[in-house]
Amino acid sequence: MNPVPAVTRAEYCVIACAEAWRDDGEVLASPMGTIPSIGARLARRTFSPDLLMTDGEALLVGLDGTPEGWLPYRRHLTAVTGGRRHVMMGASQIDRFGNQNISCVGDWARPRRQLLGVRGAPVNTLNNPTSYWIPKHSRRVFVERVDMVCGVGYDRAAAAGPSATRFHRIPRVVSDLGVFDFATPDRSMRLASLHPGVTVEEVWKATGFELSVAADVPYTREPTQLERELIREVIDPGGARDREVVEPAPRTGEAGR
C-alpha cells in the first residue's frame, strides 16, 4: 500500500482559507485567487453547506465551478451593502490594523509602481466581512503603513464612526506562513496560528511591524482525511494550489518554533 502523501504547505493554506467561512451561514462567498477559491469550495462541501458561491463577477457557480445562476447587479449590491457577503481579497500591502493597498506603491501622485487600482475594496470592507489571502509573506507586503488605503482597517473604520463600523469586520488574514486575526484590545494584527514547519521568528523577520504574538501559538489544523481527498481528488486534482504556494525545502537541525 502506498503511503498517504504528507500535508503540504499549500493544503494548510487551503484549510486556513476555508475556515474563514465557517459558521457564516447563507452568505455570498467571494474568494479571489486560486487557494481562496479551493478553500471556499471545500468549506461548502463540508462544514458550510449554505454558502452561495460566485465567480467574482455576475454568476453564481456550483461546487465544480460551473455556472448555476445569474447574479443581477442590483441583487449583488443588496448583498454587498447588507453584510451578506464575505470576500477574501489579496493585498499588495497590509498594515497592523488591516488597512489594505492594491492601488500603487509610493506616493499616489507619482507612484513607483501602479497596481490594480482601488477597485471595490472600500465598499467591500465597509459593507461586509473581508478577509485577505497573501501567498508570499514578506516585509514588502506586511508594512508599518500602507502607501494608499484601499481596504479600510480597524483604526480608520473606528475613526469614521458607526456608519463605517456597522458591517466592518476582518475575520482573518492568511499567508503562506500562518493565520492572523485582530483579536487584541487595540484591534491590531495578531498571529493566530503557524503553519507546521514555520517558526515565530520566521514570521517576525518577514513582518514590517510589531506583531502581537501569544506565549504559545497553535499550529494551523490539519485537513481531515475527507478534506484531503476532496482537495486532491475532487476540487483541485491538477494541483493548482502547489503552483501558488510552493512546498518549502525540508530543514534540519531546527528546534520547534
Side-chain angles (χ1 to χ4, degrees), residues 91-101 132-146 172-182 189-191 202-211:
S92 300
Q93 293 179 329
I94 191 166
D95 67 23
R96 68 173 72 232
F97 293 108
N99 295 291
Q100 170 247 32
N101 176 24
Y132 293 104
W133 159 242
I134 299 166
K136 191 171 183 180
H137 193 125
S138 74
R139 297 176 72 90
R140 293 178 63 182
V141 180
F142 287 76
V143 297
E144 180 66 35
R145 183 181 178 89
V146 297
R172 63 178 49 199
V173 176
V174 181
S175 81
D176 61 329
L177 298 184
V179 181
F180 307 83
D181 62 22
F182 298 87
M189 195 180 296
R190 178 188 76 132
L191 176 60
E202 186 177 353
V203 175
W204 272 333
K205 289 179 181 178
T207 304
F209 54 82
E210 186 176 348
L211 186 67

Side-chain angles (χ1 to χ4, degrees), residues 1-16 18 38-39 41-43 45-47 196 220-239 241-242:
M1 180 180 296
N2 294 328
V4 177
V7 179
T8 66
R9 179 72 60 83
E11 289 167 341
Y12 281 112
C13 292
V14 168
I15 285 295
I38 298 170
R41 289 162 66 186
L42 179 66
R45 284 183 179 272
T46 53
F47 50 76
T220 304
R221 76 168 179 89
E222 285 196 6
T224 65
Q225 181 178 343
L226 172 61
E227 289 169 335
R228 288 198 301 271
E229 292 172 355
L230 287 172
I231 293 169
R232 297 172 181 180
E233 301 173 17
V234 178
I235 302 174
D236 184 33
R241 62 194 180 278
D242 296 314

Side-chain angles (χ1 to χ4, degrees), residues 48-239:
S48 293
D50 294 330
L51 287 179
L52 299 176
M53 302 294 299
T54 174
D55 66 344
E57 296 291 340
L59 296 175
L60 296 174
V61 298
L63 290 172
D64 59 356
T66 58
E68 61 177 18
W70 177 50
L71 184 63
Y73 197 57
R74 180 179 296 177
R75 185 167 297 177
H76 176 80
L77 287 177
T78 300
V80 168
T81 58
R84 301 300 297 165
R85 180 184 185 224
H86 185 166
V87 181
M88 182 169 281
M89 295 195 295
S92 300
Q93 293 179 329
I94 191 166
D95 67 23
R96 68 173 72 232
F97 293 108
N99 295 291
Q100 170 247 32
N101 176 24
I102 52 173
S103 182
C104 64
V105 176
D107 187 335
W108 71 270
R110 296 191 65 182
R112 297 194 306 275
R113 180 173 297 176
Q114 182 66 50
L115 305 174
L116 289 173
V118 175
R119 300 179 71 87
V123 174
N124 288 342
T125 51
L126 292 181
N127 290 283
N128 48 244
T130 302
S131 294
Y132 293 104
W133 159 242
I134 299 166
K136 191 171 183 180
H137 193 125
S138 74
R139 297 176 72 90
R140 293 178 63 182
V141 180
F142 287 76
V143 297
E144 180 66 35
R145 183 181 178 89
V146 297
D147 291 336
M148 181 173 180
V149 176
C150 300
V152 179
Y154 278 103
D155 58 340
R156 289 177 178 270
S163 63
T165 58
R166 182 181 180 190
F167 295 119
H168 179 270
R169 184 165 65 91
I170 308 174
R172 63 178 49 199
V173 176
V174 181
S175 81
D176 61 329
L177 298 184
V179 181
F180 307 83
D181 62 22
F182 298 87
T184 55
D186 64 350
R187 306 297 265 172
S188 61
M189 195 180 296
R190 178 188 76 132
L191 176 60
S193 74
L194 290 164
H195 301 326
V198 180
T199 67
V200 170
E201 290 74 18
E202 186 177 353
V203 175
W204 272 333
K205 289 179 181 178
T207 304
F209 54 82
E210 186 176 348
L211 186 67
S212 178
V213 179
D216 187 19
V217 182
Y219 286 120
T220 304
R221 76 168 179 89
E222 285 196 6
T224 65
Q225 181 178 343
L226 172 61
E227 289 169 335
R228 288 198 301 271
E229 292 172 355
L230 287 172
I231 293 169
R232 297 172 181 180
E233 301 173 17
V234 178
I235 302 174
D236 184 33

